[in-house]
């Protein structure tokens, strides 16, 4: 067997799968190294994909030609569009998946990608020559050679799990940790730290009294994750359930805090503020009488259930005793307790926007090793790292997404510019251009870029072209078609909106909140005829057209702001200044600029601690 490759990817989690698939599909000879081929694409925590802002990232991965959306659609057991009560910039798809089928669907995909091999082993050491990575060694003492390496080891680097005072080495429950690799990388000057995350108890569904819980059903409309014209609802669609903690639960948890690794000093690392453990919740919000919990199925046929909202590292008996005080769990039986896990990560400010290390050439980092949390954030980094690893191998141009082009662009820019002081999770609030980064139009934003690169294939490009044409035809009709009061006023009154006093363009009517394309077309035969011309993906195309019509003003205004900032992105400053010698900069600014070494003025302006006056100093010096 030949152990020489263009690209080697370490770790087959969500980042690793996307990275390996992207590099191989672009034409690089690729090897994916994983500890366990039966855990490829494992959903370590909740068996769900998407959610607020995360769903947008999955749509972007799909638009680029990645697989997370396709795998999710094939294995979903419940789909919901979150935030429907808000504007379309906030709509976020989420799907509950069958955990085991998710793994095997990923494995089937990867095993059938040309140029991609899979090797089951653990990496212990990287090989660096002249400041560039050239290969690696494994626990089996196999030496691999590669032009580029992508590290996506997740929580496995020196992973340590905590259940009360019990400590277990491992990257996930019943899976070994990876040792030596962190030290091998740090030896070359790459800085690393420790972070913490956690996961809840897994419950035997036969012990739950569902009659004492609320229900949460899925949706059955046209929405899904992939833009490809693929069928959905392959599996039986299931419901989820809701319940609440109570004061009895909280008292048991409070009494156990002295045995909590989070509060007795056993865990020193930083955990995710936005996904806190149940013990953190009762300490942070002492006056709150209850916390909502979501009970979610792990698969189509299994009895195993995931208790979302009850992440914990408390001792086993405290977890069980507290949960039994919830009426629905009076007869509780569990498969395993919740636990916390500590692991190594590398400071992402040491990376370029391509996710290549600034310190070790051709070594890329993606996923939780960069201090992020979440499958979606990992997958988004993975596809970018895989693309750029391929580009490095073949002297191609860097592939970088801007903050106005994708949530993935926001994610990576935040990581390399601001760094992390806690596990990074994406939110819509992190994106200043979120009206431009909607879940409905990720294909419009990204598929052409990926197609020109060679990753998205012709079938995606064909679907995108057809969609663009159909959306344009509908919007142009609405922009040009005139409506007279006599023909429409009765319908407007029935729809609860003010009648017309004089004629107007159809687009002005659609802009009213009570009006949709569907309900207004019933009274305008010519418009209904236009809509009926859409023969494929009709609901998706109508929704895209309606959003563009209703939010045109907001979209155009945000585009103007983005274009203004874009001009600062073109002003390159990397290598032009000796920041330490610029006394007119604040001390903090000098330190931060030296550490980050930003590519552009715009990136410099986003570094925490850099003030507008510091930016003005740099602009003045550039003019000189």
């Amino acid at each position: 067997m030949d152990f020489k490759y263009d690209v080697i990817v370490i770790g087959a989690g969500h980042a690793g799968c996307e990275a390996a698939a992207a590099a191989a599909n672009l034409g690089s000879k690729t090897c994916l190294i994983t500890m366990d081929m039966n855990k490829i694409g494992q959903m370590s925590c909740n068996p769900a994909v998407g959610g607020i802002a995360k769903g947008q990232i999955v749509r972007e991965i799909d638009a680029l030609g990645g697989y997370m959306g396709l795998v999710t659609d094939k294995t979903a057991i419940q789909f919901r569009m979150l935030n429907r009560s808000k504007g379309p910039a906030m709509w976020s798809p989420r799907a509950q998946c069958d955990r085991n089928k998710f793994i095997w669907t990923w494995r089937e995909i990867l095993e059938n990608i040309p140029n991609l091999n899979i090797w089951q082993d653990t990496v212990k050491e990287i090989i660096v020559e002249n400041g560039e990575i050239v290969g690696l060694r494994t626990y089996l003492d196999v030496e691999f050679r590669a032009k580029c390496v992508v590290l996506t080891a997740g929580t496995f680097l020196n992973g340590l799990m905590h259940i009360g005072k019990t400590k277990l080495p491992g990257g996930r429950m019943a899976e070994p940790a990876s040792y030596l690799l962190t030290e091998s990388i740090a030896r070359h000057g790459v800085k690393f730290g420790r972070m913490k995350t956690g996961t809840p108890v897994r419950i035997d569904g036969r012990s739950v009294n569902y009659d004492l819980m609320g229900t949460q059903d899925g949706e059955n409309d046209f929405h899904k994750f992939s833009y490809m014209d693929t069928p959905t609802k392959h599996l039986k669609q299931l419901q989820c359930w809701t319940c609440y903690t109570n004061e009895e639960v909280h008292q048991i948890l409070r009494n156990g805090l002295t045995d909590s690794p989070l509060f007795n000093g056993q865990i020193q690392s930083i955990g995710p503020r936005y996904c806190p453990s149940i013990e953190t919740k009762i300490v942070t919000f002492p006056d709150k009488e209850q916390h909502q919990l979501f009970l979610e199925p792990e698969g189509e046929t299994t009895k195993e259930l995931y208790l979302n909202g009850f992440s914990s590292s408390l001792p086993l008996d405290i977890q069980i005793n507290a949960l039994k005080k919830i009426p629905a769990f009076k007869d509780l039986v569990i498969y395993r307790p919740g636990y916390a896990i500590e692991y190594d990560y590398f400071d992402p400010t040491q990376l370029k926007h391509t996710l290549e290390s600034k310190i070790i050439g051709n070594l890329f980092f993606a996923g939780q090793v960069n201090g992020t949390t979440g499958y979606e954030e990992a997958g988004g980094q993975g596809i970018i790292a895989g693309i750029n690893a391929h580009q490095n191998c073949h002297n191609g141009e860097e592939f970088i997404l801007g903050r106005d082009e994708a949530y993935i662009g926001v994610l990576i820019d935040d990581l390399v510019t601001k760094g992390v002081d806690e596990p990074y999770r994406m939110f819509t609030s992190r994106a200043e251009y979120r009206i431009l980064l909607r879940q409905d139009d990720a294909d419009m934003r990204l598929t052409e870029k990926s197609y020109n690169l060679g990753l998205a294939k012709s079938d995606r490009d064909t679907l995108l072209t057809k969609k663009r044409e159909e959306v344009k035809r509908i919007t142009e009709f609405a922009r040009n078609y005139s409506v007279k009061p006599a023909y429409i006023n009765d319908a407007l009154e029935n729809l609860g909106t003010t009648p017309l006093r004089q004629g107007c363009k159809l687009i002005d009517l659609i802009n009213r909140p009570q009006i949709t394309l569907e309900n207004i077309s019933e009274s305008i035969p010519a418009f209904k005829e236009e809509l009926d011309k859409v023969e494929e993906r009709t609901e998706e195309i109508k929704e895209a057209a309606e959003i563009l019509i209703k939010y045109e003003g907001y979209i155009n205004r945000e585009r103007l702001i983005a274009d203004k900032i874009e001009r600062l992105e073109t002003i390159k400053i990397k290598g032009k200044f000796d920041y330490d010698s610029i006394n007119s900069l604040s001390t903090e600014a000098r330190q931060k600029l030296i550490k980050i070494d930003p590519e552009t003025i715009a990136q410099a302006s986003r570094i925490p601690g850099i003030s507008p006056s510091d930016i003005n100093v740099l602009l003045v010096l550039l003019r000189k």
Side-chain angles (χ1 to χ4, degrees):
M1 181 173 177
D2 185 5
F3 294 101
K4 293 181 180 178
Y5 290 90
D6 292 325
V7 177
I8 294 176
V9 178
I10 304 171
H14 304 278
C17 288
E18 294 291 358
N25 280 326
L26 284 167
S28 283
K29 184 183 178 185
T30 305
C31 183
L32 176 62
I33 300 179
T34 176
M35 288 182 177
D36 189 347
M37 289 178 62
N38 296 318
K39 297 291 176 62
I40 287 174
Q42 167 73 302
M43 303 169 106
S44 310
C45 199
N46 191 359
V49 170
I52 307 303
K54 293 167 171 282
Q56 284 88 325
I57 292 176
V58 181
R59 295 281 267 172
E60 291 172 356
I61 292 170
D62 182 76
L64 288 168
Y67 291 98
M68 184 178 277
L70 286 164
V71 173
T72 301
D73 286 344
K74 285 186 177 180
T75 60
I77 52 179
Q78 186 190 92
F79 184 94
R80 295 172 63 219
M81 184 67 75
L82 308 183
N83 275 346
R84 282 187 183 271
S85 63
K86 301 179 181 179
M90 307 296 284
W91 296 354
S92 301
R94 182 186 188 274
Q96 198 74 19
C97 296
D98 184 303
R99 184 190 297 277
N100 291 322
K101 291 183 174 69
F102 193 94
I103 291 171
W104 287 100
T105 301
W106 252 121
R107 179 165 169 176
E108 181 181 358
I109 288 169
L110 293 172
E111 287 185 337
N112 286 283
I113 294 177
N115 304 315
L116 178 57
N117 294 340
I118 301 174
W119 178 260
Q120 183 167 296
D121 200 348
T122 301
V123 176
K124 66 179 179 180
E125 182 182 9
I126 63 170
I127 303 170
V128 177
E129 296 175 1
N130 301 317
E132 294 186 348
I133 195 164
V134 295
L136 52 85
R137 294 187 184 89
T138 72
Y139 277 24
L140 294 179
D141 283 326
V142 179
E143 183 174 306
F144 287 80
R145 287 277 159 166
K147 296 176 183 177
C148 290
V149 173
V150 183
L151 176 65
T152 71
T155 61
F156 284 82
L157 297 177
N158 294 316
L160 181 64
M161 295 175 288
H162 300 262
I163 306 171
K165 294 179 180 178
T166 302
K167 298 180 185 180
L168 299 169
R172 284 190 292 252
M173 186 60 75
E175 296 180 58
S178 173
Y179 299 107
L180 306 176
L181 184 54
T182 295
E183 294 73 16
S184 172
I185 294 169
R187 197 177 301 135
H188 299 279
V190 179
K191 297 176 183 177
F192 71 97
R194 295 283 277 176
M195 279 190 175
K196 168 261 171 190
T197 189
T199 191
V201 60
R202 302 306 199 273
I203 292 174
D204 186 335
R206 295 170 296 180
S207 68
V208 177
N209 188 335
Y210 298 100
D211 292 336
L212 299 178
M213 305 186 84
T215 58
Q216 189 177 67
D217 295 317
E219 300 171 358
N220 291 302
D221 66 4
F222 70 93
H223 288 104
K224 57 191 180 80
F225 274 103
S226 181
Y227 291 97
M228 299 300 288
D229 195 13
T230 53
T232 57
K233 310 296 188 292
H234 297 262
L235 306 181
K236 181 182 178 182
Q237 299 300 288
L238 305 177
Q239 67 180 186
C240 298
W241 301 268
T242 62
C243 62
Y244 292 86
T245 61
N246 54 50
E247 183 52 37
E248 285 187 283
V249 175
H250 295 180
Q251 190 56 51
I252 292 173
L253 296 173
R254 277 193 289 267
N255 292 340
L257 288 178
T258 54
D259 294 319
S260 168
L262 289 176
F263 293 98
N264 64 12
Q266 186 173 314
I267 291 178
Q268 298 288 330
S269 50
I270 306 163
R273 181 170 24 139
Y274 301 105
C275 188
S277 66
I278 189 64
E279 52 264 42
T280 301
K281 290 179 187 178
I282 65 167
V283 170
T284 306
F285 308 103
D287 298 328
K288 194 162 185 179
E289 296 180 353
Q290 61 181 21
H291 294 280
Q292 189 173 26
L293 306 177
F294 299 87
L295 190 62
E296 301 167 337
E298 294 258 339
E300 184 183 24
T301 57
T302 180
K303 299 300 182 183
E304 187 177 355
L305 301 171
Y306 177 96
L307 189 59
N308 197 340
F310 204 88
S311 175
S312 180
S313 60
L314 284 164
L316 168 62
D317 59 331
I318 294 174
Q319 292 187 42
I320 293 175
N321 291 339
L323 284 170
K324 283 190 172 184
K325 295 300 181 182
I326 298 172
F329 299 143
K330 180 173 67 71
D331 302 314
L332 182 74
V333 176
I334 70 170
Y335 287 107
R336 70 169 184 264
Y339 62 90
I341 179 168
E342 292 184 284
Y343 55 94
D344 294 339
Y345 80 99
F346 297 94
D347 181 355
T349 63
Q350 302 168 105
L351 302 176
K352 304 174 185 177
H353 278 80
T354 58
L355 296 179
E356 181 186 8
S357 171
K358 296 176 182 176
I359 299 166
I360 304 174
N362 294 322
L363 174 61
F364 294 77
F365 294 78
Q368 283 187 272
V369 292
N370 288 337
T372 62
T373 180
Y375 314 141
E376 303 81 6
E377 290 88 344
Q381 294 171 71
I383 196 168
I384 298 300
I387 290 170
N388 282 300
H390 166 83
Q391 295 293 85
N392 273 24
C393 290
H394 303 281
N395 300 313
E397 293 183 1
E398 296 179 340
F399 187 81
I400 297 172
L401 297 175
R403 296 181 71 91
D404 62 333
E405 293 177 312
Y407 272 93
I408 295 173
V410 175
L411 163 66
I412 293 174
D413 185 63
D414 279 354
L415 292 175
V416 305
T417 301
K418 301 175 182 177
V420 291
D421 55 12
E422 63 182 349
Y424 180 103
R425 180 179 181 179
M426 180 54 72
F427 293 100
T428 51
S429 58
R430 296 192 190 272
E432 59 269 46
Y433 308 119
R434 53 186 173 272
I435 194 70
L436 301 179
L437 307 182
R438 307 180 310 279
Q439 62 83 30
D440 67 276
D441 78 333
D443 56 342
M444 300 280 202
R445 292 183 272 122
L446 300 176
T447 294
E448 186 176 359
K449 290 176 179 290
S450 184
Y451 179 69
N452 292 337
L453 186 70
L455 183 56
K457 305 307 179 188
S458 58
D459 52 352
R460 283 188 181 275
D461 185 60
T462 299
L463 286 171
L464 174 64
T465 300
K466 183 78 179 293
K467 180 177 175 179
R468 275 198 174 129
E469 290 172 351
E470 297 280 30
V471 169
K472 183 179 179 180
R473 178 176 56 77
I474 293 169
T475 54
E476 287 300 311
F477 182 93
R479 198 180 306 279
N480 296 314
Y481 187 83
S482 296
V483 182
K484 292 183 171 58
Y487 296 102
I488 199 68
N489 275 349
D490 287 346
L492 295 180
E493 288 185 0
N494 289 335
L495 292 170
T497 186
T498 308
L500 296 177
R501 293 184 179 180
Q502 59 187 32
C504 70
K505 297 297 184 183
L506 175 57
I507 196 168
D508 296 321
L509 282 183
I510 296 172
N511 273 315
R512 296 185 180 188
Q514 301 89 346
I515 304 295
T516 67
L517 297 192
E518 287 293 335
N519 65 26
I520 198 66
S521 68
E522 296 301 319
S523 304
I524 305 176
F527 187 45
K528 188 174 190 312
E529 187 177 325
E530 284 297 311
L531 294 181
D532 288 344
K533 290 178 182 177
V534 182
E535 296 178 350
E536 298 177 347
R537 300 192 298 164
T538 54
E539 295 95 340
E540 177 188 337
I541 288 168
K542 290 175 186 177
E543 180 182 83
E546 186 168 315
I547 289 171
L548 286 177
I549 290 171
K550 285 183 175 291
Y551 292 88
E552 182 181 36
Y554 298 103
I555 293 169
N556 290 341
R557 184 173 63 188
E558 202 155 273
R559 182 76 265 163
L560 285 173
I561 296 170
D563 289 344
K564 186 182 292 185
I565 297 298
E566 178 66 22
R567 290 195 284 274
L568 294 179
E569 297 284 4
T570 64
I571 304 176
K572 304 290 184 182
I573 60 173
K574 189 176 179 67
K576 292 187 177 181
F577 295 114
D578 175 11
Y579 296 114
D580 205 30
S581 66
I582 305 175
N583 294 325
S584 49
L585 291 173
S586 68
T587 301
E588 182 181 8
R590 292 199 298 273
Q591 293 171 347
K592 294 287 181 67
L593 289 166
I594 290 169
K595 178 185 178 184
I596 305 298
D597 193 16
E599 295 281 344
T600 67
I601 281 287
Q603 187 191 354
S605 71
R606 294 191 291 270
I607 298 173
I610 304 298
S611 68
S613 62
D614 294 321
I615 296 300
N616 285 334
V617 168
L618 296 179
L619 288 171
V620 168
L621 291 173
L622 280 172
R623 293 190 193 102
K624 291 181 179 179

